[in-house]
Amino acid sequence: EFVKMKVKQKTKKTKKTQKKKSTSKQSTVEVTDTEYYTVESVVGSKLEGREVWYSIKWENYRDRTWEPDYRLYCQKKLVAFAKTEVNTDKYALNLQENLENLNESCAENWNSFKNVYDPLAIVGQSTVLGGSVKFVNLDTVGSKILFLNYIHQHNQHHVLHSLKFPKFKILDTSFEEYRKQLNYLSRAFDEYPHVSMHFPPQACTTFYSPPPLTSLLFEPITEEMLDNRDTFPYHLPPKSDKITFNNVKVLVDTAFIESDVRAQEEFEGMQRKHYGMNSRFGNSLEIRQEEGVGWKLTVGHAVDADSPLMMLTGVIRHRSVALESLRSEGEEVAFSSFIEIPGTDYCLDRREFYDFSKYIPHSCNPTCSIRLVESGNEIPDLVLYSRVRIQDSNPKTISLDYFGGFVEDVDKYFARKKAPDGRVFKLYDERIDFVHCHCSNECRGVLYIDKSNHPKEEKATKKDKLSTLDSNFDFGGMRLVESDKIWKIRNRQFIE
Ligand SMILES: [Zn+2]
């Protein structure tokens, strides 16, 4: 555990050619070595144009240095820093209002960006793809604005309510209510595997609000079902006004639960094949918090290889919506929200409605993958399954390779550049945006390289880059499904 932590906290340290005081306006640095150094703590922040820089205290070094956000890989330390930067009570109360005022002009207002929006972005970004990859964006201000706008527009505010640890008495009461409602909802969908939630022990310093119950789906839905949510016999439960964890509304309206039991029994959904008597999923799952990462899905007990674990949900939309989101909301949002459904023109849109599989981290050598499975209607189900036996020593982790669809692109890029070694540093030096992985298991390192047509232009903002994405880039969601073959599940086993 200790060794793993050390690996996670490693980061790139740059050395300035001349020693200057921290007030210096000079922002150019010369990379004199390509070693990784361990961050002891983050102690300050400043804006350099559209880049956020942090003052870093290094382990075993006395001098502090300023480093741009995109070179750092120390999410837990950044979250700890964000907590020291905000008044947590005021922050939670003004959250909604702050996000409503968020726009590009904040980038010019040093104080509001550094003091209000940057701490919010640090907390929000730690939950993207289970916190296991780093989106390297040279225009850090622009990419953080895009990400916070997404949180505001898609009702994801709960991910920001993490800077304050609630009193355990309040936590326990809220959690009891949450668990009751979760059990109620999952009973209406007998196919959904049992997911038990574990709240953090007292020793933890960060508390992540749990996923809102009104955002959780237990089967995929169509846009038609979503648009006609009041009349269609599919019910998206209304949000409760009751404030629970850290001033967040994550519960279902209790009046709905009391009055709507019968309606739930008559639930028709997508008129799927009825699997109740021959349940497809027999393994229980767990969801628990990890510091600097947020919620994480694991198996509840050892499972054999090739076991179907759960069905992925979301809103079924045309695949062009995924590309549209990439262009307007950026890679962080699009890559963590859209999954391609091969053999169809559709994808699963998981921006506002999703299931617990949203809390599966990326790994370059993952324990799980996804297969298409017959659903009884025209769009097959996406089913998560174990590629290997997952057990305690493994350590029960569910992981997916989200970036397999980009392997060829990345290889081609580096073949052209003839750069087998030092890939990451080459991209830093050439000022190109990319996605950086630090998983320790046969890690590919670089998972995605910016596909815009002027990635290197000195003053290009994130918006500029996204607006010139290569027109041949046919993004229809992440390629998580291993093939377009459609399987059947009988007695909790895949059959052809
Ligand atoms: Zn990796």
Side-chain angles (χ1 to χ4, degrees):
E1 186 67 9
F2 179 68
V3 174
K4 205 178 161 204
M5 286 303 299
K6 294 270 277 190
V7 172
K8 270 194 172 171
Q9 303 298 340
K10 275 180 181 176
T11 184
K12 174 73 180 67
K13 179 184 178 183
T14 60
K15 284 184 179 164
K16 293 191 178 182
T17 44
Q18 285 176 293
K19 281 208 166 173
K20 296 235 172 187
K21 281 187 185 152
S22 57
T23 48
S24 158
K25 288 237 167 74
Q26 183 182 347
S27 65
T28 50
V29 293
E30 184 185 306
V31 180
T32 53
D33 52 30
T34 53
E35 297 289 313
Y36 286 99
Y37 293 83
T38 307
V39 173
E40 189 178 297
S41 58
V42 181
V43 290
S45 69
K46 63 175 180 179
L47 281 188
E48 289 276 351
R50 293 178 65 93
E51 293 174 5
V52 183
W53 287 54
Y54 298 105
S55 174
I56 304 296
K57 167 84 182 76
W58 302 95
E59 219 173 88
N60 303 323
Y61 289 86
R62 208 178 298 156
D63 288 347
R64 293 168 181 181
T65 61
W66 285 97
E67 309 294 337
D69 148 278
Y70 54 82
R71 279 183 187 262
L72 294 169
Y73 197 90
C74 53
Q75 200 56 32
K76 200 173 150 186
K77 303 276 162 72
L78 281 167
V79 169
F81 168 70
K83 286 173 78 161
T84 65
E85 283 293 281
V86 293
N87 172 329
T88 49
D89 287 325
K90 223 172 143 195
Y91 147 90
L93 289 172
N94 296 339
L95 196 57
Q96 187 83 21
E97 194 188 323
N98 281 331
L99 288 177
E100 265 155 32
N101 296 329
L102 175 72
N103 56 47
E104 270 288 319
S105 70
C106 299
E108 272 102 60
N109 185 344
W110 189 87
N111 267 324
S112 76
F113 193 83
K114 183 187 157 291
N115 297 335
V116 179
Y117 297 113
D118 192 44
L120 298 185
I122 289 174
V123 174
Q125 283 167 321
S126 70
T127 62
V128 172
L129 294 173
S132 53
V133 295
K134 165 101 185 168
F135 287 80
V136 176
N137 289 305
L138 277 298
D139 174 16
T140 45
V141 170
S143 70
K144 286 180 180 208
I145 289 175
L146 284 181
F147 188 71
L148 289 171
N149 266 323
Y150 150 75
I151 283 175
H152 184 49
Q153 282 159 19
H154 297 279
N155 286 314
Q156 298 291 323
H157 299 85
H158 66 286
V159 303
L160 302 177
H161 288 257
S162 305
L163 293 183
K164 191 181 162 197
F165 207 111
K167 289 201 175 76
F168 271 85
K169 208 176 153 192
I170 300 167
L171 185 68
D172 290 345
T173 323
S174 305
F175 178 46
E176 220 23 71
E177 177 72 16
Y178 185 93
R179 183 153 47 190
K180 245 176 28 205
Q181 294 203 358
L182 175 63
N183 288 344
Y184 165 81
L185 286 173
S186 55
R187 261 203 312 279
F189 300 81
D190 51 11
E191 263 224 304
Y192 206 79
H194 178 73
V195 179
S196 59
M197 287 199 106
H198 297 265
F199 270 54
Q202 207 118 14
C204 266
T205 55
T206 311
F207 174 80
Y208 296 90
S209 289
L213 291 165
T214 43
S215 291
L216 288 178
L217 286 177
F218 296 87
E219 67 161 35
I221 61 171
T222 59
E223 277 183 292
E224 189 197 3
M225 289 158 79
L226 190 60
D227 293 344
N228 302 310
R229 59 169 83 181
D230 298 327
T231 50
F232 210 84
Y234 180 84
H235 293 266
L236 285 168
K239 279 189 173 60
S240 167
D241 282 333
K242 217 160 129 190
I243 284 173
T244 49
F245 314 95
N246 287 345
N247 296 317
V248 210
K249 297 170 192 170
V250 297
L251 295 177
V252 174
D253 182 9
T254 41
F256 166 83
I257 289 190
E258 279 153 22
S259 69
D260 229 34
V261 175
R262 281 188 55 80
Q264 286 286 353
E265 281 166 3
E266 286 157 20
F267 169 87
E268 283 182 38
M270 284 179 70
Q271 297 179 330
R272 314 161 52 76
K273 217 172 149 74
H274 185 68
Y275 294 100
M277 296 301 287
N278 181 17
S279 152
R280 296 186 295 176
F281 312 107
N283 295 293
S284 59
L285 306 169
E286 290 177 356
I287 183 164
R288 57 179 77 242
Q289 298 196 4
E290 195 171 296
E291 288 224 59
V293 169
W295 290 94
K296 204 171 164 182
L297 189 74
T298 63
V299 291
H301 46 80
V303 299
D304 288 330
D306 252 358
S307 304
L309 294 175
M310 71 188 294
M311 165 171 67
L312 269 56
T313 75
V315 182
I316 297 171
R317 291 203 156 103
H318 193 270
R319 52 182 288 128
S320 59
V321 177
L323 185 58
E324 216 173 277
S325 161
L326 177 56
R327 286 185 199 280
S328 59
E329 297 172 309
E331 290 96 349
E332 270 156 301
V333 175
F335 291 178
S336 60
S337 302
F338 290 91
I339 302 173
E340 190 183 64
I341 308 177
T344 74
D345 290 330
Y346 296 94
C347 61
L348 279 183
D349 177 351
R350 294 146 64 82
R351 285 175 296 180
E352 186 170 0
F353 299 100
Y354 44 82
D355 58 72
F356 288 118
S357 69
K358 185 131 185 191
Y359 304 97
I360 299 177
H362 166 84
S363 165
C364 294
N365 184 21
T367 55
C368 292
S369 183
I370 290 175
R371 282 179 174 157
L372 293 182
V373 171
E374 59 154 19
S375 66
N377 57 55
E378 88 181 280
I379 306 290
D381 285 334
L382 274 65
V383 170
L384 174 80
Y385 80 96
S386 50
R387 295 169 65 228
V388 293
R389 184 176 157 80
I390 307 176
Q391 54 200 4
D392 285 347
S393 58
N394 198 6
K396 292 203 291 185
T397 307
I398 295 177
S399 55
L400 282 169
D401 184 350
Y402 289 87
F403 293 85
F406 300 129
V407 169
E408 225 172 278
D409 275 354
V410 171
D411 286 350
K412 262 192 210 155
Y413 180 91
F414 285 115
R416 235 176 17 242
K417 297 272 170 184
K418 297 189 177 67
D421 303 315
R423 291 174 157 201
V424 170
F425 300 109
K426 192 160 182 64
L427 293 170
Y428 283 143
D429 293 346
E430 298 200 342
R431 301 189 59 78
I432 291 175
D433 292 353
F434 66 103
V435 178
H436 190 186
C437 184
H438 280 244
C439 76
S440 48
N441 204 343
E442 295 169 39
C443 184
R444 298 195 296 273
V446 177
L447 300 179
Y448 168 82
I449 298 169
D450 185 8
K451 291 176 81 73
S452 66
N453 283 325
H454 60 187
K456 281 194 265 183
E457 238 166 71
E458 198 59 42
K459 290 228 169 86
T461 65
K462 193 69 203 165
K463 271 192 165 169
D464 293 339
K465 291 181 186 177
L466 292 168
S467 69
T468 63
L469 272 182
D470 193 325
S471 57
N472 293 324
F473 186 20
D474 178 31
F475 179 72
M478 299 307 262
R479 296 208 171 135
L480 290 179
V481 183
E482 56 185 26
S483 78
D484 51 13
K485 176 187 169 126
I486 299 177
W487 296 75
K488 291 184 174 68
I489 298 175
R490 296 283 181 274
N491 300 320
R492 298 167 184 176
Q493 300 283 326
F494 288 105
I495 58 170
E496 310 238 340

